[in-house]
Every structure is written in C-alpha cells, then in structure tokens.
Amino acid sequence: MTDPSPVAPPRPAPEADAPDLGALTEQVAEASRFVGPLLDAVGRVVVGQAQMVERLVIGLLTGGHVLLEGVPGLAKTLTVSTLAQAIDARFQRVQFTPDLLPADLVGTLVYNQAESSFRVQKGPIFANVVLADEVNRAPAKVQSALLEAMQERQVTIGETTYPLPRPFLVLATQNPVEQEGTYPLPEAQVDRFMLKTVVGYPTRDEELEIMRRMSRGAPLEPAAPVVTPDQILDARRVVGGVYVDARVEEYVVDLVLATREPARYGLPDVEGLVAYGASPRASIALALAARAHAFLAGRAYVTPDDVRALALDVLRHRVAVTYEAEAEEVASDAVVRRVLDAVDVP
C-alpha cells in the first residue's frame, strides 16, 4: 500500500552565484530618487492611506494594474488622480457606468463625409495612466474591451490594432460587489490585476485632518509633476534586476501551490474551502511585487518579509472559495492568511 502522507514539493537547485549587491544597491538608490518626492507630492493632497499609495507606486514600478476596493468616500479616486498628476504623463479618467460602450473606452471609426473615408477616433484608453472609476458598474462588453488593453497593451479598432503608450497602467476602483448596481468582474479580468487592495477607513486623527481640510470650501491644490515616464521605465528595469535568492523563489511558489493543494502543505481543513487556487500568473506577480517592495525600501535583494507584505494583495482575488466556505463566512482573505501561517518561511 502506498503512503498517503503528503509529499514535499521538489526543490530546485540554488543559484550558483549572487550578483554584485553593492553595485546593484547603487543602481537602486539612483533609480529610486523620485520615490520620496512622489510620495510627498501625493501626501500633500491625500491624508493617510499610506498602504494604498504604496500599492499604487508598486503598480507603477512593475507595470502591474491595481484594483482598489472599498466603500465610497475613502479617497480612492482622489489618490489615483493625485498620483497621476504627480507624473508628467497623459492621464485619463473614465467613469464606468451601465450604459458605457466599448467604443467610449477604446475609440471608434468616424466617417468623414467630405473625404468619403473613415478616420480613427482614439478613446481615453490611449493614455499612460487610466483611472477606471467604479469599474464594476460597466457591463461585460466594456470589461472585455478593457481586458485586451490590460493584457496585450494594445486595442483593436475596426481591423487595425494599435499599441498603447508606454508606460501604460490601469488603476481601477470598485465598490464591494454587495453594493447595489454593480457587476462582479469576470474572473479572467480580475486575474489581470497584479494587486487587489482593500481600502479601509482612516484613523481618528486622519479623519479629523480630512474634515478640517475639506470643510473649508477651498479647492485642493493639484500635485506638481515630479517624475517623468522615462524615469519610471528606467526604474522598472532596475526593479527587474533586484536579486531574489532561490530559497525566496521557492517560498513564493510554495505559497501559490498551497492555495491549490492545501492538504499537501498541512492544511486539510482548507481543502474543502477552495474552489480553485491561484494561477502561475500569481507566482510571477508576487515575485515582481516583492522586488518592487524591496526597491522602495532601498534594498537590492528580496526578503521573505517583502513576499509576505504583498501576498494578500496578490492572492486574495485569485483564490475562489467554495459555496461551503461562503456558508461558513470564510472569505479568500482568511484562506490566504491560513496559507501564510502554514507555509514555512525560509
């Protein structure tokens, strides 16, 4: 009889040589000079919400789209628009509504009667930073049009495909799906978001400061541009070179595998709670997000703490729970936290 006990996952061979961390640290320090001024520019407009701002900057540094979820009134739209103002790049805001059409987003062909020909009228998706405000209020056809732009960095108008500008980033906000008048996002589209950040309420002191600022009736001063698209693209190349030790890579993969095969990692009670786990796209996103987190800390190498700091945001929208879990009021966040507690940290 075969042994039914769990089998440990295979371990790849460690890397032979680590890079020159001294030289890499100098590159990180040089490429991250704009981060401080960028955070300051946003902080002069937005009170608190440091975690949300950090996640948005990680999206900038990796090219990963970010989904912000929270009830109305938590400064999601203000934060995204302020961050876009601090970047010397083209910004477009699209208010997603039930009557929005795909052409309203990507553009359409317009007939020129004088010349008897069609010309392309490009939509707001042709921008460096696109704010998809209340993204879960638009119907499926619009979500499908947005999906091609998010994944392929291109859109098709008529019979022609047009590349989107670089950098290109979708920062979307949504109210929780329990709110009236919203549509659950398709699973394929949700998976294209690198991070899903749940935005919470401010602290008492933060709310007091918000009230004082906003109740004066004076308009908010827009954030001044402090970084260029070229600086962001240069920083992305440095982020991609941040060193990840083989043991940390294994840890990333183990976390993702544990969402698919909980019993294999000592979580038999989670087995019946997960309908399907995170895809390999989650492993890629978690490693890249951890690199960006280390970059923001001024380090040229990734630690397990970088991975753990981003694991919930990377995995929560990629783990689908069963009806049994919903009946027991166990959300995907709880499943991911159990995985984090169970998988050994290197």
Side-chain angles (χ1 to χ4, degrees), residues 104-263:
D104 298 329
L105 181 67
V106 303
T108 187
L109 294 173
V110 178
Y111 183 69
N112 187 325
Q113 192 170 11
E115 299 179 1
S116 300
S117 62
F118 287 92
R119 65 179 178 85
V120 175
Q121 180 67 48
K122 293 183 177 179
I125 198 70
F126 287 88
N128 297 110
V129 179
V130 177
L131 168 57
D133 208 3
E134 297 194 84
V135 67
N136 58 332
R137 292 195 179 275
K141 286 186 177 180
V142 177
Q143 304 295 352
S144 178
L146 183 61
L147 182 60
E148 179 187 11
M150 292 174 62
Q151 179 63 25
E152 307 296 336
R153 264 68 174 183
Q154 65 183 28
V155 296
T156 302
I157 303 175
E159 297 180 353
T160 307
T161 299
Y162 299 91
L164 293 170
R166 297 183 67 235
F168 172 75
L169 189 66
V170 173
L171 304 178
T173 69
Q174 73 169 16
N175 296 330
V177 294
E178 292 81 13
Q179 297 286 326
E180 185 177 353
T182 61
Y183 301 82
L185 295 179
E187 288 80 0
Q189 182 175 0
V190 171
D191 197 38
R192 262 64 176 191
F193 285 100
M194 170 184 263
L195 305 174
K196 179 184 177 182
T197 297
V198 176
V199 183
Y201 289 105
T203 65
R204 182 181 183 276
D205 291 341
E206 290 170 348
E207 188 152 351
L208 186 61
E209 177 62 22
I210 292 169
M211 182 194 68
R212 287 170 175 166
R213 287 191 189 185
M214 304 303 292
S215 62
R216 293 170 184 164
L220 291 173
E221 290 291 332
V226 296
V227 60
T228 66
D230 287 341
Q231 286 177 286
I232 293 173
L233 293 176
D234 289 342
R236 286 182 182 180
R237 286 188 282 271
V238 176
V239 168
V242 170
Y243 175 64
V244 184
D245 186 79
R247 290 168 297 177
V248 178
E249 291 177 332
E250 294 172 19
Y251 182 54
V252 169
V253 173
D254 284 340
L255 288 175
V256 175
L257 287 178
T259 67
R260 302 179 212 158
E261 307 173 49

